[in-house]
């Protein structure tokens, strides 16, 4: 088990969200320009949604397979943290909202620290961007 895969997927969600927000539709009615725009927009959305689902999958595996009842003594907010994080994944799938994508990254970071603390380690949170 390692929360790094959830981090990588969540970073992709944030990256694609930023790309979508920066993507400007073409001026005019040039069919080729619109086709390129629509293809790029669709690809970014597909990647964002796929990676949000992957983040959710990785988080749920950590929650249900790794964390045990004895971890609740150390992390009393464990269930709430894990319940909210997949909800953020869903929000990122159905919206193009940078604030939600950043909230997702923060939730994954919190889970990262919980995971490594449960192993008696303090592995640093490192992101690609």
């Amino acid at each position: 088990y390692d929360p790094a895969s959830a981090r990588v997927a969540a970073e992709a969600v944030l990256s694609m969200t930023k790309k979508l927000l920066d993507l400007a539709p073409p001026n005019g009615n040039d069919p080729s320009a619109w086709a390129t725009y629509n293809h790029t927009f669709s690809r970014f959305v597909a990647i964002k949604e796929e990676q949000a689902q992957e983040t959710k999958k990785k988080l749920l595996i950590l929650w249900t397979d790794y964390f045990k009842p004895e971890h609740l003594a150390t992390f009393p907010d464990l269930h709430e943290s894990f319940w909210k994080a997949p909800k953020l994944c869903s929000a990122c799938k159905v919206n193009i909202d940078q604030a939600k994508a950043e909230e997702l990254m923060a939730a994954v970071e919190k889970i990262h620290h919980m995971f490594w603390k449960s192993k008696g380690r303090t592995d640093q949170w490192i992101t690609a961007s």
Side-chain angles (χ1 to χ4, degrees), residues 20 22-42:
L20 283 160
D22 289 343
L23 190 62
N27 294 324
N29 294 321
D30 177 16
S32 177
W34 275 100
T36 299
Y37 170 80
N38 287 332
H39 172 74
T40 301
F41 185 89
S42 298

Side-chain angles (χ1 to χ4, degrees), residues 65-113:
D65 294 358
Y66 172 74
F67 284 98
K68 306 289 183 242
E70 55 268 20
H71 290 121
L72 290 170
T74 307
F75 311 109
D77 63 340
L78 184 134
H79 289 311
E80 184 175 343
S81 298
F82 272 99
W83 185 77
K84 287 182 177 179
K87 298 284 186 190
L88 286 166
C89 293
S90 295
C92 289
K93 284 172 55 176
V94 299
N95 296 297
I96 301 172
D97 185 336
Q98 186 171 337
K100 289 292 183 199
E102 289 171 353
E103 281 183 62
L104 175 59
M105 284 296 294
V108 173
E109 180 179 7
K110 181 177 183 179
I111 289 166
H112 162 92
H113 292 300

